[in-house]
Amino acid sequence: MTLRVAIVGYGKMGRIRHEAMERHGGFEVVVACDTSQDPDANFAMVTDPLAVYDFNPDIIVCSVPNMMIPDVVCTALERGKHVFSEKPPGRSSDDVRRMIAAERAAQDRVLKFGFNHRVHDAIEEAKKLIDAGTMGELYFMRGVYGKAGGPDYAQSWRNDPAQSGGGILIDQGIHMLDLFQMFAGRFEDVQSYVQRNFWTDVPVEDNAFALMKNADGIVASVHSSATQWQHTFRLELYLRNGFVSVDGILSASGSYGTEVLTVALNRLDTTGNPIPNPESQELRFTEDKSWDKEVAEFYDAVVKEEPLRCGTSQQALDVMELVERIYSADPEWHRILQDQTPLPDQAI
């Protein structure tokens, strides 16, 4: 079965999704909406998001800025379309709740959000190892996800809280938080420091530090940074019988390096205590299959009615609520956010 696709927002992410759908073979892009037109496109191009419905698509791919996502998603669901939307899922948890209400009203329509880090090979292998149980209970996690802000950082819509909902934490750090919750469930106890260090002229954070604990006592710490001048992804999981870490993450830019999964199992001395610096094994991954895995899961959910494992609306709500708890746990940053006046919602 071939699904007819309309892509709303044909920028970098819209094109990445298009390419993944072409590799899959079960999709046909019939129209894309963007302010910029592609003269080489072999499908219709429009500038009005509502015009895509004239082409009778089965699904809507939503690749627009954060403030536009809820309107695009809800309109699509109300019109009976399946939806694949980029993250973050809007600007706030209220945005996600609005989309969940539309999803429930649409009943059998599929809504998936693109949290592709869950299906990177190294992350999936780490999850299999931990779920197998041989490494024992999970004690704590650490995560660092950072980059250099880059050209025109201060002018980007991503650094206008009215359009994005926040800074580097909601833009990039949200992936690490989503992984934390994949491994350990919801975190309720949160302490944080949210800062503007280098880009002091923008109204959002360029660094966020958080320490979290869930109901089972598992602790996680995260640092999300736009002043990590050497692009870095590192996830560490420490368990009773050893540790698992993922260094690097394959990306379109290639700036985070090769994904390396490191696994170490404790060896015990004669008294039953772990010997320091256990031997470890490394697995290296050189191909990013995450985009294809997400598209394949979405297709199977629509056509075969198989349940989503990654990118569900509940997962989107859980991680957005955690983002908000991190922002509000720093009293000074919470005051700054309260003082910012949002722009009117965009009508889509």
Side-chain angles (χ1 to χ4, degrees):
M1 178 179 179
T2 300
L3 299 174
R4 293 170 61 84
V5 181
I7 301 177
V8 180
Y10 199 62
K12 175 183 176 181
M13 289 310 306
R15 293 170 188 268
I16 285 176
R17 298 301 182 188
H18 185 180
E19 292 167 0
M21 288 178 174
E22 284 189 331
R23 289 192 295 270
H24 181 278
F27 302 86
E28 179 190 2
V29 173
V30 295
V31 61
C33 173
D34 203 272
T35 54
S36 300
Q37 301 293 286
D38 184 350
D40 298 323
N42 60 356
F43 47 85
M45 293 286 296
V46 298
T47 56
D48 179 0
L50 295 180
V52 302
Y53 296 100
D54 296 338
F55 295 82
N56 193 31
D58 299 305
I59 68 173
I60 302 295
V61 173
C62 176
S63 301
V64 297
N66 306 0
M67 77 289 192
M68 302 168 68
I69 286 176
D71 285 337
V72 171
V73 169
C74 290
T75 297
L77 292 169
E78 289 162 3
R79 289 174 176 248
K81 310 303 179 183
H82 303 282
V83 184
F84 189 140
S85 176
E86 297 304 330
K87 67 82 198 168
R91 296 171 294 177
S92 67
S93 61
D94 284 342
D95 281 347
V96 186
R97 293 187 190 94
R98 179 185 161 199
M99 289 184 279
I100 288 176
E103 178 188 25
R104 288 173 178 166
Q107 298 181 343
D108 62 346
R109 300 297 91 177
V110 175
L111 171 59
K112 177 177 171 65
F113 291 96
F115 284 94
N116 71 308
H117 286 44
R118 285 188 177 225
V119 290
H120 272 260
D121 285 347
I123 300 297
E124 285 191 323
E125 291 303 316
K127 187 71 162 61
K128 290 176 186 176
L129 283 168
I130 293 173
D131 288 348
T134 56
M135 299 196 70
E137 62 185 303
L138 178 62
Y139 287 159
F140 64 91
M141 299 180 286
R142 287 196 293 256
V144 175
Y145 205 175
K147 62 181 181 179
D152 301 320
Y153 177 84
Q155 289 73 44
S156 171
W157 66 266
R158 297 178 187 277
N159 292 316
D160 177 356
Q163 299 186 66
S164 64
I168 191 64
L169 178 67
I170 196 172
D171 180 46
Q172 187 182 67
I174 194 171
H175 276 301
M176 187 65 75
L177 298 177
D178 182 58
L179 294 179
F180 281 174
Q181 296 199 138
M182 180 182 77
F183 283 106
R186 290 174 57 87
F187 291 86
E188 298 295 344
D189 187 1
V190 177
Q191 302 175 49
S192 69
Y193 292 97
V194 184
Q195 301 175 343
R196 282 178 292 200
N197 293 325
F198 187 85
W199 281 280
T200 56
D201 57 339
V202 300
V204 297
E205 80 283 356
D206 58 18
N207 279 272
F209 306 81
L211 186 65
M212 300 157 280
K213 184 172 71 172
N214 73 1
D216 296 323
I218 298 172
V219 174
S221 63
V222 66
H223 179 202
S224 178
S225 177
T227 62
Q228 183 89 29
W229 308 126
Q230 182 171 342
H231 289 194
T232 301
F233 177 94
R234 181 171 177 83
L235 171 63
E236 304 172 78
L237 303 106
Y238 287 85
L239 303 99
R240 179 178 182 85
N241 299 329
F243 70 85
V244 177
S245 68
V246 178
D247 290 276
I249 198 85
L250 294 169
S251 66
S253 68
S255 60
Y256 294 88
T258 300
E259 287 178 33
V260 181
L261 173 66
T262 302
V263 182
L265 289 173
N266 289 337
R267 294 180 297 117
L268 305 181
D269 62 20
T270 55
T271 64
N273 291 308
I275 299 172
N277 302 318
E279 294 180 358
S280 62
Q281 292 185 328
E282 291 186 353
L283 287 81
R284 294 178 176 268
F285 301 90
T286 58
E287 183 181 0
D288 182 4
K289 302 175 184 176
S290 64
W291 313 114
D292 294 344
K293 291 178 183 178
E294 283 192 303
V295 161
E297 185 189 47
F298 182 62
Y299 181 88
D300 289 345
V302 172
V303 175
K304 302 177 184 178
E305 299 184 356
E306 294 184 0
L308 292 175
R309 295 181 301 107
C310 300
T312 68
S313 57
Q314 184 60 54
Q315 291 166 357
L317 178 60
D318 289 345
V319 74
M320 191 64 89
E321 288 180 340
L322 182 55
V323 167
E324 290 177 340
R325 284 196 291 274
I326 291 172
Y327 282 143
S328 62
D330 183 326
E332 176 63 17
W333 194 255
H334 182 65
R335 182 192 63 76
I336 291 172
L337 290 180
Q338 293 295 104
D339 289 345
Q340 292 170 352
T341 303
L343 297 174
D345 286 342
Q346 305 293 313
I348 297 296

